Amino acid sequence: MSEYVNKILEGLKKSNPGQDIFIQAATEVLHSLAPLLSREEKYQKHAILERITIPERAVHFRVTYIDDNKNVCVHNGWRIQFNSAIGPYKGGLRFHPSVNAGVLKFLGFEQIFKNSLTGVAIGGAKGGADFDPKGKSDREIMKFCHSFMDELYRHIGNTTDVPAGDIGVGGREIGYLFGQYKKLTGRFDGILTGKGLGWGGSLARTEATGYGLTYFTEQMLKRAGLGLEGKKCCVSGSGNVAIYTIEKLYQVGALPITASDSGGFIYDEEGIDVALIKELKELKRARLSEYVKFRPHAKYTPIERYPAGRNGVWSVPCDGAFPCATQNELNLADIKTLYANGCRFVSEGANMPSTLEAMEFMLGKKDFYFAPAKAANAGGVATSGLEMMQNAGMDSWSFDEVDRRLQGIMKHIFELSYETSKEFGDEGNLVLGANIAGFRKVADAMIDQGYV
Ligand code: GLU
């Protein structure tokens, strides 16, 4: 059966030149599917791997706006509609200079399986632009979002494709995108999630990814007879996922001691001041280096001082690590350092933050617990699903109601992933369990629906 997998991967390399990041995502998923593929012939017979690795549709478009200095700025925009077998396309928009078709294909591909795991009826997609919101004025952000929606509006709808935020796209951007959609179509539809609370957004959506990540980690450690209480945790990133992971870690009795941004990282041995990070990052859109002005005992290390190819935040001794920044931010050398310093679990808040080699290292250790992104960070998109349900019912639920459902969903995802790992003879390997469980539901739906 690995012959089938290898043939598909070789084909993918040829048909997706220069998209190593997409090949990395496909390699991880396809390898872990081998035990399912050798048990069930139907997936090969129906050419599921051949089909599931090609997006159903990918739209590439031009986005133009005039900046505050009257320059004409031109960017690439994309929406990759990867798979709609189990529901309308769903997945975020990323605005970052590193965005390209390969990055969005990796993210869209992952989203298929993540969304399937949530139990909500949503397919997989991703979109975005090679636009850097950093340092732009509010007017520039608004103009860019309006121009982006000038094309995107043709491709989305509340039963077809429902985008949301990701890196560089938060509440402000969703607002500008929604406003332009409404102006162009005249319709007040729930075509985006992560909306403002006064106009169709859901309570607890902002917190959901970080809270869900912590709930998932609690489940994973509980199964091993362990817990988060008193654990020192290294968190990377300082965006929405990192901030609400830090907040929830305190609530469950853990001590988060680090945070980072593209300039460097903070080590605060007394524990990260979550109110301060919120103020700096959410309100002032400031650099993390400002943190030490308010907490002089904390230590800021600029990125230039990290050893080459390393992420300095992983050199801080801890019990567990929560990579919540971006893809491939935790490599083999990083995990070896973490492990040598006593770290015994990693929970992925970002999408694909660990390299394949780092993942292999973690799965190879009997005394190590690894929560893979597709399962562990699915709370964000799951709560987007809850926002869609509230919109469809013209309803709005309390914070506690949404949080209660989120906890139930994360428990379900953990149990489904764990039980599936057991079913395939590799108990506790949540990479294998999550990938097989997420894949099986989508693949069976594709078989039911014929060759489309
Ligand atoms: N961007 C988030 C993710 O990676 C959320 C997507 C959504 O809410 O649709 O899952």
Side-chain angles (χ1 to χ4, degrees):
M1 197 41 61
S2 54
E3 237 173 76
Y4 176 39
V5 166
N6 289 340
K7 190 189 93 191
I8 299 295
L9 285 172
E10 281 317 304
L12 276 183
K13 283 179 198 155
K14 287 208 188 82
S15 55
N16 298 275
Q19 299 189 347
D20 294 356
I21 192 92
F22 172 52
I23 302 300
Q24 179 185 339
T27 303
E28 182 224 290
V29 173
L30 267 51
H31 277 160
S32 62
L33 295 178
L36 172 72
L37 299 172
S38 50
R39 186 189 290 185
E40 304 256 13
E41 274 177 17
K42 62 180 177 180
Y43 299 118
Q44 186 167 5
K45 184 167 154 250
H46 292 281
I48 295 295
L49 295 189
E50 289 84 336
R51 291 157 62 199
I52 210 166
T53 49
I54 300 180
E56 290 173 7
R57 187 174 304 100
V59 193
H60 180 187
F61 51 96
R62 185 173 65 217
V63 187
T64 312
Y65 75 104
I66 313 263
D67 72 10
D68 290 349
N69 298 319
K70 309 248 171 351
N71 298 310
V72 182
C73 302
V74 185
H75 291 276
N76 291 274
W78 290 268
R79 185 69 179 163
I80 315 277
Q81 298 179 329
F82 228 114
N83 194 293
S84 63
I86 61 165
Y89 303 110
K90 182 85 198 87
L93 299 171
R94 179 176 288 193
F95 291 170
H96 192 267
S98 66
V99 164
N100 57 42
V103 167
L104 295 177
K105 272 163 69 182
F106 121 62
L107 290 163
F109 183 70
E110 298 258 308
Q111 203 83 40
I112 305 171
F113 310 104
K114 182 197 311 199
N115 293 4
S116 163
L117 284 169
T118 64
V120 183
I122 41 180
K126 204 83 185 189
D130 53 1
F131 167 73
D132 191 357
K134 203 160 46 183
K136 301 287 191 299
S137 69
D138 266 354
R139 192 204 73 89
E140 289 170 323
I141 298 285
M142 180 179 76
K143 286 290 166 196
F144 182 83
C145 290
H146 285 176
S147 183
F148 189 87
M149 187 52 83
D150 282 343
E151 176 58 35
L152 188 70
Y153 86 97
R154 300 165 218 280
H155 310 288
I156 61 176
N158 49 1
T159 57
T160 50
D161 185 357
V162 185
D166 195 80
I167 293 172
V169 177
R172 173 180 60 167
E173 291 73 19
I174 292 292
Y176 293 147
L177 289 161
F178 188 78
Q180 188 71 351
Y181 174 87
K182 200 155 50 64
K183 171 155 179 150
L184 290 166
T185 62
R187 298 174 64 96
F188 197 107
D189 289 333
I191 43 83
L192 292 164
T193 58
K195 298 186 291 298
L197 295 177
W199 43 277
S202 173
L203 283 163
R205 173 63 190 90
T206 309
E207 293 83 355
T209 313
Y211 279 22
L213 178 66
T214 312
Y215 297 146
F216 188 94
T217 308
E218 280 188 303
Q219 292 290 327
M220 177 177 76
L221 294 180
K222 196 168 129 201
R223 183 61 68 110
L226 303 165
L228 271 170
E229 193 155 3
K231 296 284 187 303
K232 277 192 184 161
C233 299
C234 278
V235 178
S236 67
S238 49
N240 161 278
V241 181
I243 289 176
Y244 292 96
T245 299
I246 292 171
E247 183 168 283
K248 187 50 83 177
L249 282 172
Y250 278 120
Q251 290 175 16
V252 301
L255 186 68
I257 50 175
T258 64
S260 67
D261 69 6
S262 57
F265 80 93
I266 294 287
Y267 170 42
D268 187 338
E269 62 177 348
E270 288 175 12
I272 292 289
D273 183 334
V274 69
L276 178 56
I277 293 251
K278 280 189 191 176
E279 191 186 320
L280 291 175
K281 286 293 174 180
E282 290 180 343
L283 292 177
K284 296 190 177 150
R285 298 182 193 278
R287 305 306 295 161
L288 201 55
S289 50
E290 301 281 299
Y291 184 96
V292 286
K293 285 193 191 152
F294 302 89
R295 304 263 292 179
H297 66 275
K299 193 167 165 268
Y300 176 74
T301 309
I303 199 155
E304 307 80 67
R305 253 185 268 144
Y306 302 177
R310 298 294 304 280
N311 189 346
V313 75
W314 308 133
S315 64
V316 177
C318 62
D319 300 306
F322 293 77
C324 296
T326 195
Q327 63 267 17
N328 288 337
E329 56 163 316
L330 198 163
N331 64 24
L332 183 60
D334 295 324
I335 190 62
K336 282 185 173 166
T337 305
L338 280 167
Y339 190 82
N341 285 337
C343 174
R344 287 297 176 268
F345 63 91
V346 163
S347 290
E348 297 187 322
N351 290 312
M352 207 168 73
S354 310
T355 62
L356 286 173
E357 296 76 22
M359 203 180 280
E360 211 176 303
F361 178 93
M362 293 187 268
L363 294 176
K365 297 275 178 223
K366 282 278 160 276
D367 60 347
F368 201 91
Y369 305 93
F370 177 54
K374 279 183 220 83
N377 79 20
V381 73
T383 306
S384 280
L386 301 179
E387 182 172 329
M388 289 163 73
M389 291 178 207
Q390 292 169 77
N391 292 167
M394 296 187 79
D395 200 358
S396 63
W397 304 336
S398 69
F399 190 98
D400 287 350
E401 172 65 12
V402 179
D403 191 35
R404 188 184 61 76
R405 289 185 188 234
L406 170 64
Q407 289 185 45
I409 291 171
M410 297 319 293
K411 187 163 185 278
H412 158 80
I413 297 174
F414 172 74
E415 278 164 5
L416 179 63
S417 307
Y418 195 92
E419 291 310 314
T420 308
S421 75
K422 216 155 115 184
E423 182 189 337
F424 287 89
D426 198 352
E427 186 168 348
N429 180 343
L430 299 175
V431 176
L432 180 139
N435 285 340
I436 292 185
F439 171 85
R440 189 152 53 173
K441 182 173 174 192
V442 176
D444 289 345
M446 289 171 75
I447 293 172
D448 291 346
Q449 292 167 23
Y451 306 138
V452 287

